[in-house]
Amino acid sequence: MRELDPLALSASELAQEVRTGNLKAQDVASSFAQRVERLHRDLNTHIEWDKDSTLNEVDKQLAYIEAALYAQKPLPLAGVPIAIKDNIMVDSQTVSCGSQLLRNHRAAYDATVVQKLKAAGALLFGRTNMDEFAMGSSTENSSYGAALNPWNRRHVAGGSSGGSASAVAAGMVPLALGSDTGGSIRQPASFCGVVGLKPTYGRISRYGLVAYASSLDQIGTFAHSVRDTALLYDVIAGHDPADSTSSNHASAEISSKLDANFSLKGKRLAVIKEFMAEGLDEEVKQQFEQALEVYRQAGATIEWVSLPHISFSIPVYYILATAEASSNLARFDGIRYGARSQKPGLNLRELYMQTRSEGFGREVKQRIMLGTYVLSSGYYDAYYAKANRIRELIRREIQGLFAQGIDLLLSPTAPTTAFELGQKTQDSLAMYLSDIYTIAANLAGIPALSLPIGLDRKGLPVGMQLMAPAFGEEILLRSAQVYEQQTNGAEKFRPRI
Amino acid sequence: MSRIDRQTVEKVASLAYLKLSEDEIAYYQIQLDRILDYIKQLDGASDSLPSDWRADLVGFVSPERADVALVSPAVEKVLSSAPKVVGTAFQVPRIIE
Amino acid sequence: MSSKLTEPKSSDQGFSGILARFEPVIGLEVHCQLKTESKLFCSCKTTFGSLANQNTCPVCLGLPGVLPVLNHQAVEYAIRLALALGAKITERSVFARKQYFYPDLPKGYQLTQYDLPYCQHGSMLLDSGRRILIERIHMEEDAGKNIHGDNASYVDLNRAGIPLLEIVSAPELHSPSEAAEYLRKLRAIARYLEISDGNLEEGSFRCDANISLRPVGTKTLGVRTEIKNLNSFRNVEKAITYEIIRQADVLESGDQVKQVTLQFDAAAGRTIVMRSKENSPDYRYFPDPDLGILSITEDRIQAVRSKIPELPEQKVQRFQEAFHIPAADASQLTAEKELAAFFEDVVRQVESIVAPKIVANWMLSEYLREFNARQWNFAQPFISSRSFAHLLKLLGQGTISGKIAKSVFEQMAETGENPDHIIASKGLVQINDSAAIKAVVDEVIGSYPEQVAQYLAGKQKVYGFLVGQVMKVSAGRFNPNLLNECLKEALHGKS
Ligand SMILES: [Mg+2]
Ligand SMILES: [Zn+2]
């Protein structure tokens, strides 16, 4: 039997080899554990990485995999390591959300997606770095230091799911979970040169995802290829009775439909005019235009469309997301869990205020205050109600395009490639603007994906964003795969480490 | 133009149960003012929705679960790592009403 | 920050004097705990555990990452109450977050209904015939409990998340007793519907009252105060009475009533300020994005309607018409569903022998006296409806007299023995033998010639004395009707 190097295999191949017995899950685990061990400090990808305890947990999972394979369960992720963003609950593991307030907090239950991963035979591989409570676009708001970009460590990995993106890009894990509220999967995927998927709102259970902005949050995936993305998506998608916002919309498996005959001939792909305006980096623009050419070659028609209200995405987002966040983060009071202030002699109110002030970082406090302000007496209509109305208009404009026969919307994922560390930390607004192209998909609840399409002159990855109608993950992934196949994309983008 | 004064920052921080230092108050006053100024562009958005349109009445219908009682093991774990527990209750500074 | 208000001066005019000058305007907010198996948004038990926090889960502990899922049964109960109060049900209503920090509120917000409650415009009929408007009913989750020690407080979240209905009346009640009547009737309805225990002392039925005064004959509302958490019918009346007197004192001394939230100190019998209007909190309500619309369709309402039992208001009507009993009696007999059922059960068993009116009198006087004194319950009645009906039948058939029946009932209440046994063992059977009665009557007439002469001279009062003498000999066992007949006959024979 030939020697297989687990690190050289895709997630799909790993699972296949483990299921057929060509590869032992133990060997997969130890190869990847060594790689994490070697790299995670340099890139600061993980908030929690303990090789021994990870491998101990893996040992338990190996017994399950063996039994399940014996019982001929399908195990789509048999022996595949996956890193989990530090805001998703894994029973008994720490879950800090990048915050000092939760620095020693251990989850008391599994998120629904985690239950699904365990049942699918996946190996849980550490907890990845993130902006505190997912509030940020660079992981510089993590209280555990920023995750670095494996293509260039002076640059950010993006955020808020930067640790997951960086870990996948650096080959520490073939798969990772992230969460995306305004672009927190797609933007770091773009910055790190991997495939990042934010599914339709309601497609993936949010039970066990620490809420940032409930009406926008969605768990999603990081992988090197569209195929691996589909593999992971199929495992975690589906209705969950524990999440009232979870959709009953039937979720068809996508993996089996990839590679099959699929043509973009006659498909209408539309570029959002407003996103091609000022602020878009010239190199990113060129790369994106070349990617459009690839789709044109594949038979698709490319047209330009206008979404008049989309320019309001960022103000709408910052009102709605912070309003919801100010409420969602009220539970962090140090009474039942979390790091209670140790300052002596505090009365109840002082204890609350001290605990929250010690525990929350600068950006989190800022967003809590902004959200509190827009919901406070006398301001609700001017801000929150108004933002909801504009959100609806944006949603209708996007739905209108799909209703007119547009199959996908295309844009660059971010206006620039990964920026340098520290470049935007003193300017909240500049940081917010790096999510300018991604927020609309969250506001409209539609699925969107970032696909690596090239490198700029600095050698940093450029990403393209594809958006599909709600529950259109299949066409989204199949179209993305067409691009990969046309360009041999899935294998092109590996940083040299 | 400044829409956020010091008192507003203090009032909002107090509503949100955040204790701010002098530096923080100054910092947030500037930041919030800039952001709210930026957000102000919404006033220029055309709005064709009926005036009585409300987001909370156009969403999905809440599913309802059967009324069945279940026991959860979570409380043991929570109590074992809670900041301060006496017996099985969470302890807080004495509440003066 | 609690400060005591000045003690109301003991009004020299008394309470009725105040009511002659001021009209109290009272509205009640009642929190009614629903009798579901599980909590409103999670599957925890609703029974009270002996240990703090035993009936909790990630959801009601407010752990990070959890989400609420609405309890179907709680919605059904909510619909029942809306229908029973003739209220309008909103097809699409919304759960909002009411935000404030408190240790018994694990999420930092309470899920409740705000500007879109599921139910509006109900009403409640009082005995006076006045209909009190119920402005709204909404669903919400309960908070947990803070227990106060000497140096610290302790948080128990067993109650956190238990479903509540909040029932808000219009300010249309005008006296402490009307407020109590409204509350009693509301509680009775909740119990009839089997949606709540309605237990005030245990907190499954909680009442806040807002009160203002206005000069009699005027319409403008005065400044109101709100008293929180009145936990017994007695306290509702006492606290409202106290507050009316206090406000009257304030107004009569030329001051203005301050808009404050009060607490009633039952031991001291007075209200205490909790907070003033100026520091009333900004709750920052907004629709909960974790829940969708609460949908109550017409079909759903119809399905629940078919399960609504006959309610006190209808029962009172029916009892009056079918049984010819006065409204007040009917109202008392229907205060509890089980009492009404017991009554109807007895009426059915004694049909054509004892009139319902007699049964009602016996229920309301004898039976309820013992019931309350001895703390019986209807779940396992100490005296069954069969046994009680049998006693009334013996009375109706003339086997025993009313007086004997009462003493037999007392025995029954004491020992639980059946009436036949008591009557037999004590020889209490009524004597219907005219000859025997006549013999005693003749003897008594012979013994009291003076009284007989007075009676014949027109002094009717003496008649009772003579009856008493005859009864004394028979130890109360003579059939009173026969005795009457015999005595009158004998006396008139003399004239
Ligand atoms: Mg309430
Ligand atoms: Zn619970």
Side-chain angles (χ1 to χ4, degrees):
Chain A
M1 194 176 92
R2 79 199 152 91
E3 196 70 29
L4 284 169
D5 176 11
L7 297 177
L9 300 179
S10 71
S12 312
E13 289 162 343
L14 282 170
Q16 177 64 21
E17 302 296 351
V18 168
R19 280 194 300 265
T20 54
N22 292 334
L23 202 53
K24 279 199 183 129
Q26 285 92 325
D27 296 336
V28 178
S30 67
S31 300
F32 280 98
Q34 271 173 40
R35 188 157 174 92
V36 176
E37 195 74 357
R38 191 156 69 79
L39 294 172
H40 80 93
R41 276 183 209 86
D42 289 352
L43 292 170
N44 200 21
T45 47
H46 285 64
I47 287 178
E48 166 93 350
W49 169 257
D50 178 331
K51 187 180 171 198
D52 294 340
S53 77
T54 300
L55 291 180
N56 271 339
E57 281 304 308
V58 163
D59 272 345
K60 292 182 204 159
Q61 181 69 343
L62 294 177
Y64 163 77
I65 292 172
E66 214 164 279
L69 286 177
Y70 184 76
Q72 303 202 316
K73 273 197 164 185
L75 291 198
L77 294 176
V80 180
I82 178 165
I84 310 290
K85 187 178 181 180
D86 203 29
N87 60 353
I88 298 171
M89 300 290 149
V90 178
D91 193 3
S92 305
Q93 291 193 10
T94 58
V95 51
S96 80
C97 295
S99 181
Q100 284 304 308
L101 207 150
L102 294 179
R103 58 183 175 265
N104 295 315
H105 180 61
R106 283 185 184 275
Y109 67 100
D110 273 335
T112 300
V113 289
V114 168
Q115 289 173 15
K116 290 184 172 199
L117 290 176
K118 286 178 174 173
L123 310 179
L124 302 183
F125 246 64
R127 310 193 51 80
T128 57
N129 203 349
M130 58 183 281
D131 286 296
E132 185 178 3
F133 290 107
M135 297 178 183
S137 309
S138 66
T139 69
E140 289 166 296
N141 295 332
S142 168
S143 75
Y144 303 89
L148 306 183
N149 194 311
W151 295 82
N152 184 334
R153 291 173 200 183
R154 282 181 294 108
H155 289 252
V156 300
S160 66
S161 313
S164 286
S166 180
V168 171
M172 289 183 227
V173 277
L175 298 174
L177 286 187
S179 67
D180 188 316
T181 307
S184 280
I185 288 174
R186 289 159 287 157
Q187 186 254 30
S190 170
F191 282 10
C192 292
V194 296
V195 180
L197 168 68
K198 180 208 90 78
T200 309
Y201 185 80
R203 187 51 117 179
I204 315 273
S205 170
R206 292 188 296 117
Y207 189 79
L209 167 68
V210 179
Y212 160 23
S214 312
S215 74
L216 301 159
D217 293 342
Q218 193 57 197
I219 291 175
T221 66
F222 289 95
H224 272 288
S225 66
V226 172
R227 161 150 297 288
D228 282 359
T229 300
L231 176 74
L232 177 53
Y233 167 82
D234 283 342
V235 168
I236 60 174
H239 177 251
D240 179 11
D243 175 359
S244 296
T245 63
S246 165
S247 171
N248 271 315
H249 202 280
S251 59
E253 203 216 10
I254 294 175
S255 295
S256 59
K257 294 187 181 130
L258 292 176
D259 302 329
N261 280 338
F262 177 72
S263 167
L264 283 176
K265 259 197 189 65
K267 291 270 186 288
R268 292 173 64 190
L269 312 189
V271 177
I272 299 165
K273 227 183 269 176
E274 285 78 5
F275 286 175
M276 301 304 286
E278 67 162 293
L280 175 58
D281 178 89
E282 196 53 40
E283 275 192 83
V284 173
K285 188 176 173 195
Q286 279 169 22
Q287 298 267 1
F288 175 66
E289 278 164 355
Q290 281 170 32
L292 292 180
E293 196 49 42
V294 172
Y295 273 137
R296 222 176 258 124
Q297 297 292 320
T301 61
I302 308 286
E303 43 200 294
W304 286 55
V305 294
S306 176
L307 291 166
H309 280 86
I310 206 157
S311 58
F312 299 110
S313 295
I314 292 188
V316 166
Y317 173 82
Y318 277 94
I319 292 169
L320 299 181
T322 58
E324 292 179 18
S326 70
S327 176
N328 285 332
L329 270 60
R331 70 188 60 199
F332 299 108
D333 53 16
I335 288 178
R336 288 142 292 128
Y337 50 84
R340 186 185 284 198
S341 172
Q342 295 303 305
K343 216 172 160 187
L346 300 176
N347 69 27
L348 182 70
R349 185 181 154 90
E350 290 163 351
L351 178 69
Y352 268 99
M353 297 186 75
Q354 192 66 34
T355 295
R356 289 165 61 79
S357 296
E358 288 173 13
F360 290 140
R362 194 176 72 176
E363 178 67 20
V364 172
K365 287 181 202 170
Q366 177 166 315
R367 294 199 195 187
I368 289 175
M369 284 199 287
L370 181 58
T372 302
Y373 177 79
V374 300
L375 288 177
S376 66
S377 174
Y379 294 103
Y380 183 90
D381 287 336
Y383 292 109
Y384 189 76
K386 173 109 185 162
N388 261 314
R389 296 172 70 87
I390 310 300
R391 178 185 186 172
E392 176 68 8
L393 293 170
I394 293 170
R395 193 199 323 252
R396 287 184 187 185
E397 281 171 9
I398 290 175
Q399 275 168 0
L401 288 179
F402 290 131
Q404 284 161 34
I406 299 292
D407 292 293
L408 291 175
L409 291 173
L410 303 181
S411 75
T413 306
T416 65
T417 54
F419 44 88
E420 280 181 50
L421 287 158
Q423 193 184 322
K424 298 186 179 183
T425 44
Q426 289 314 309
D427 185 350
S428 305
L429 266 180
M431 187 72 91
Y432 294 177
L433 288 169
S434 67
D435 292 332
I436 189 157
Y437 306 149
T438 47
I439 281 174
N442 300 83
L443 294 177
I446 57 173
L449 169 143
S450 178
L451 190 65
I453 54 171
L455 300 175
D456 70 1
R457 255 170 292 151
K458 285 178 275 184
L460 292 166
V462 177
M464 169 170 65
Q465 176 177 235
L466 285 67
M467 293 182 264
F471 303 103
E473 278 85 359
E474 185 182 329
I475 185 170
L476 188 68
L477 289 171
R478 294 182 82 169
S479 305
Q481 200 191 29
V482 168
Y483 180 89
E484 260 181 12
Q485 287 164 341
Q486 299 283 320
T487 60
N488 196 21
E491 286 318 305
K492 257 190 344 213
F493 298 99
R494 296 270 185 173
R496 289 234 298 274
I497 294 169
Chain B
M1 181 205 103
S2 185
R3 52 189 68 227
I4 294 286
D5 55 18
R6 187 197 160 88
Q7 283 70 28
T8 308
V9 175
E10 285 177 334
K11 193 194 119 199
V12 170
S14 150
L15 266 177
Y17 271 38
L18 292 170
K19 189 181 162 199
L20 302 184
S21 67
E22 280 302 315
D23 287 354
E24 283 178 311
I25 291 172
Y27 173 79
Y28 289 125
Q29 190 181 335
I30 294 164
Q31 291 290 335
L32 292 179
D33 196 58
R34 285 193 61 206
I35 295 165
L36 286 170
D37 207 50
Y38 175 75
I39 282 173
K40 195 173 168 278
Q41 63 175 283
L42 280 190
D43 296 346
S46 64
D47 183 350
S48 54
L49 294 174
S51 62
D52 63 349
W53 183 93
R54 313 179 37 140
D56 47 1
L57 284 181
V58 296
F60 62 98
V61 166
S62 252
E64 293 173 19
R65 43 165 255 278
D67 182 25
V68 178
L70 300 170
V71 172
S72 161
V75 67
E76 305 305 327
K77 298 179 202 174
V78 174
L79 287 173
S80 72
S81 57
K84 232 172 190 176
V85 166
V86 171
T88 61
F90 303 105
Q91 189 189 312
V92 295
R94 191 178 145 72
I95 299 168
I96 308 138
E97 283 183 322
Chain C
M1 69 173 206
S2 72
S3 68
K4 285 199 171 134
L5 292 162
T6 50
E7 185 84 23
K9 289 165 253 151
S10 48
S11 306
D12 32 24
Q13 321 87 335
F15 194 60
S16 56
I18 291 173
L19 294 187
R21 294 189 304 285
F22 293 107
E23 182 184 42
V25 179
I26 304 160
L28 295 187
E29 272 181 39
V30 176
H31 285 89
C32 168
Q33 181 184 317
L34 297 177
K35 254 187 352 188
T36 50
E37 292 294 313
S38 64
K39 293 183 179 179
L40 186 53
F41 294 111
C42 66
S43 299
C44 290
K45 281 192 292 186
T46 51
T47 49
F48 287 125
S50 50
L51 271 177
N53 294 307
Q54 292 312 287
N55 298 341
T56 60
C57 72
V59 176
C60 56
L61 286 167
L63 295 189
V66 298
L67 297 167
V69 185
L70 183 58
N71 184 337
H72 179 81
Q73 189 68 49
V75 179
E76 169 144 352
Y77 286 170
I79 298 171
R80 279 192 209 171
L81 187 65
L83 291 175
L85 295 171
K88 181 176 164 292
I89 292 174
T90 310
E91 190 180 336
R92 292 159 89 77
S93 66
V94 171
F95 281 101
R97 295 182 179 181
K98 178 182 182 179
Q99 308 189 69
Y100 60 95
F101 291 93
Y102 212 54
D104 63 10
L105 193 69
K107 299 186 291 296
Y109 55 84
Q110 179 196 29
L111 287 174
T112 180
Q113 298 195 288
Y114 180 49
D115 58 348
L116 290 169
Y118 86 96
C119 172
Q120 280 167 296
H121 307 306
S123 72
M124 168 86 76
L125 187 66
L126 298 186
D127 285 346
S128 64
R130 243 164 35 82
R131 215 166 246 294
I132 304 302
L133 173 70
I134 290 169
E135 283 177 350
R136 59 182 276 157
I137 310 177
H138 68 249
M139 301 185 72
E140 64 182 26
E141 58 177 348
D142 206 349
K145 206 164 89 187
N146 297 323
I147 304 141
H148 305 299
D150 287 339
N151 303 308
S153 294
Y154 306 92
V155 184
D156 174 6
L157 299 173
N158 283 339
R159 216 178 63 190
I162 285 183
L164 302 177
L165 294 181
E166 182 173 328
I167 303 125
V168 183
S169 87
E172 294 184 350
L173 298 157
H174 296 305
S175 70
S177 60
E178 258 191 2
E181 185 193 343
Y182 166 90
L183 192 62
R184 276 202 183 85
K185 290 205 147 68
L186 187 58
R187 176 180 175 275
I189 289 171
R191 288 174 54 86
Y192 266 67
L193 296 170
E194 294 178 0
I195 63 171
S196 176
D197 293 335
N199 193 322
L200 275 87
E201 283 75 13
E202 284 173 17
S204 55
F205 217 67
R206 301 194 283 271
C207 178
D208 304 339
N210 54 70
I211 299 147
S212 65
L213 299 187
R214 62 185 171 201
V216 165
T218 62
K219 281 287 151 229
T220 320
L221 290 172
V223 177
R224 62 174 217 185
T225 59
E226 186 178 8
I227 316 174
K228 289 276 179 199
N229 264 324
L230 298 165
N231 60 2
S232 70
F233 289 107
R234 227 170 99 79
N235 284 348
V236 169
E237 290 207 54
K238 275 172 68 180
I240 294 174
T241 305
Y242 177 92
E243 188 55 18
I244 290 170
I245 296 171
R246 190 190 69 82
Q247 288 190 15
D249 279 354
V250 171
L251 293 173
E252 293 197 320
S253 68
D255 281 350
Q256 288 185 330
V257 173
K258 287 195 189 71
Q259 190 172 350
V260 288
T261 302
L262 305 161
Q263 214 169 19
F264 184 61
D265 179 346
R270 53 152 57 179
T271 54
I272 299 165
V273 177
M274 281 168 76
R275 60 169 178 265
S276 65
K277 177 71 172 37
E278 295 85 77
N279 44 38
S280 77
D282 180 352
Y283 290 122
R284 288 160 287 132
Y285 287 97
F286 77 108
D288 183 17
D290 289 331
L291 289 167
I293 291 158
L294 167 55
S295 164
I296 304 178
T297 59
E298 195 50 45
D299 283 355
R300 188 169 185 188
I301 295 170
Q302 287 313 328
V304 175
R305 199 186 295 278
S306 64
K307 291 180 209 159
I308 303 263
E310 186 187 33
L311 294 167
E313 211 175 299
Q314 300 144 5
K315 246 194 220 322
V316 166
Q317 274 292 321
R318 181 166 63 80
F319 279 16
Q320 282 177 248
E321 285 158 18
F323 303 139
H324 308 289
I325 55 176
D329 288 3
S331 173
Q332 269 196 67
L333 285 168
T334 53
E336 294 280 347
K337 193 183 198 172
E338 295 92 338
L339 173 65
F342 190 95
F343 167 71
E344 286 203 79
D345 213 15
V346 176
V347 167
R348 204 174 309 117
Q349 292 181 58
V350 301
E351 215 185 342
S352 80
I353 299 167
V354 182
K357 171 114 183 58
I358 308 286
V359 178
N361 289 341
W362 270 79
M363 287 289 303
L364 294 175
S365 52
E366 308 305 312
Y367 193 89
L368 279 187
R369 189 188 60 238
E370 296 297 333
F371 186 94
N372 292 329
R374 296 172 189 273
Q375 298 184 320
W376 290 342
N377 63 64
F378 283 112
Q380 287 159 301
F382 188 76
I383 295 176
S384 69
S385 66
R386 238 187 108 208
S387 186
F388 189 61
H390 187 61
L391 174 70
L392 295 185
K393 266 193 268 184
L394 293 174
L395 172 70
Q397 287 158 343
T399 313
I400 53 174
S401 67
K403 200 168 165 215
I404 297 285
K406 282 176 188 170
S407 94
V408 172
F409 181 71
E410 271 159 32
Q411 285 291 310
M412 289 165 70
E414 190 66 41
T415 62
E417 285 169 347
N418 71 51
D420 286 340
H421 182 259
I422 294 167
I423 290 162
S425 70
K426 304 217 161 173
L428 294 174
V429 179
Q430 182 160 285
I431 294 165
N432 293 317
D433 178 351
S434 310
I437 296 170
K438 268 193 188 119
V440 177
V441 165
D442 289 346
E443 199 185 309
V444 167
I445 285 176
S447 310
Y448 298 98
E450 203 176 314
Q451 282 81 358
V452 172
Q454 283 173 357
Y455 174 77
L456 292 174
K459 210 170 175 190
Q460 296 285 322
K461 264 166 75 183
V462 185
Y463 183 74
F465 169 80
L466 295 171
V467 171
Q469 294 309 313
V470 178
M471 267 303 188
K472 206 166 161 189
V473 176
S474 77
R477 290 158 62 207
F478 284 168
N479 180 324
N481 292 333
L482 279 180
L483 185 154
N484 231 347
E485 248 172 58
C486 296
L487 182 58
K488 285 210 165 133
E489 201 181 288
L491 286 170
H492 293 141
K494 288 253 163 202
S495 65

